Amino acid sequence: MKYFILFGPPGAGKGTQAAKMREKYSLHHISTGDLLRKEIAAGTELGKKAKSLIEAGNLVPDEVVIGMITNVFDNDKTSKGFLLDGFPRTEEQAVALDKILKDRNSEVTSVISLMIDDDEVVRRIKKRAEIENRADDADEATIRNRVKTYHEKTEPVINHYKSTGKYKEIDGSGDIEDVFTVLCGIIDKL
Ligand code: ADP
């Protein structure tokens, strides 16, 4: 069983590249952001709790997303591999994932980080706000807080994986097809 992680700041293109990877490699794409937005749209208790945190550009509690990921793994008996997008986003989540996979006699296959700088993040998310209708894309202060949260809580997760030799960085600032070509080059060599 393969477990790929797409890593990187908000707006780096994880969702876009994940959709292409899912298609090409028949992976089950799990986006914790999409799962949370579904909970919000459905008005569940979990969604109600997550809404204000997400709309302020903060993370939802670790146990919430860890629970969601565990559920998806437990309910999927057929996929040949998973592609995690937006998880793990904290050191605690990375530690929890290691344990979940160990319990399944498995481990993370590869972590690929899409790198873009902070100004490009803000520029891209503002552009996305004109097309999609995400509350957390709507104003610059929220976007800046997401970038800050990324640097403080999520970026340190890189160190968790660097020592394993499974961590790779690619330039996410090119166009979609060029980034995908580089991404496939890494996966095809695994
Ligand atoms: P982006 O990558 O553009 O920030 P996502 O759709 O991945 O968008 O996430 C949107 C929001 O959902 C995040 O800002 C955060 O509030 C919440 N979220 C998503 N994944 C996680 C996670 N693994 N841990 C905590 N919060 C999360």
Side-chain angles (χ1 to χ4, degrees):
M1 183 67 80
K2 298 222 188 296
Y3 295 91
F4 295 100
I5 297 172
L6 262 189
F7 200 82
K14 300 186 294 292
T16 305
Q17 297 297 331
K20 294 173 75 65
M21 277 176 75
R22 174 184 54 202
E23 184 83 3
K24 179 162 178 175
Y25 298 103
S26 305
L27 299 168
H28 181 163
H29 171 206
I30 310 175
S31 158
T32 41
D34 286 350
L35 292 175
L36 289 164
R37 282 185 286 277
K38 276 190 197 140
E39 296 281 345
I40 294 173
T44 63
E45 279 308 309
L46 194 161
K48 282 180 201 152
K49 281 187 204 139
K51 189 172 190 290
S52 54
L53 290 165
I54 291 177
E55 289 181 1
N58 295 318
L59 298 180
V60 306
D62 289 328
E63 62 273 19
V64 170
V65 279
I66 292 165
M68 288 189 333
I69 290 280
T70 308
N71 270 343
V72 178
F73 287 159
D74 287 351
N75 290 321
D76 180 338
K77 308 278 181 235
T78 55
S79 291
K80 292 193 180 61
F82 292 90
L83 174 57
L84 302 178
D85 155 14
F87 182 94
R89 239 175 167 104
T90 63
E91 175 68 20
E92 289 74 12
Q93 292 177 21
V95 170
L97 179 63
D98 285 345
K99 180 168 185 316
I100 293 166
L101 297 188
K102 198 163 178 239
D103 290 347
R104 300 166 71 87
N105 292 321
S106 199
E107 59 184 5
V108 168
T109 308
S110 176
V111 182
I112 305 169
S113 195
L114 302 175
M115 307 298 281
I116 59 168
D117 66 35
D118 292 358
D119 290 339
E120 178 70 2
V121 169
V122 177
R123 205 183 61 77
R124 284 191 184 182
I125 293 182
K126 280 183 170 171
K127 200 167 152 214
R128 181 167 73 187
E130 292 165 16
I131 305 159
E132 293 174 28
N133 201 17
R134 278 176 53 168
D136 59 343
D137 285 351
D139 84 313
E140 183 155 342
T142 305
I143 302 170
R144 295 266 173 209
N145 190 40
R146 285 159 65 196
V147 172
K148 185 167 166 273
T149 304
Y150 171 76
H151 289 305
E152 286 177 3
K153 307 231 168 90
T154 306
E155 213 168 26
V157 174
I158 291 174
N159 292 328
H160 184 89
Y161 293 113
K162 257 193 177 158
S163 59
T164 64
K166 292 175 183 166
Y167 178 78
K168 301 239 161 33
E169 281 179 2
I170 65 178
D171 179 5
S173 67
D175 76 32
I176 292 172
E177 291 307 325
D178 291 346
V179 173
F180 189 58
T181 302
V182 178
L183 199 52
C184 294
I186 293 175
I187 293 169
D188 292 340
K189 266 195 231 121
L190 291 172

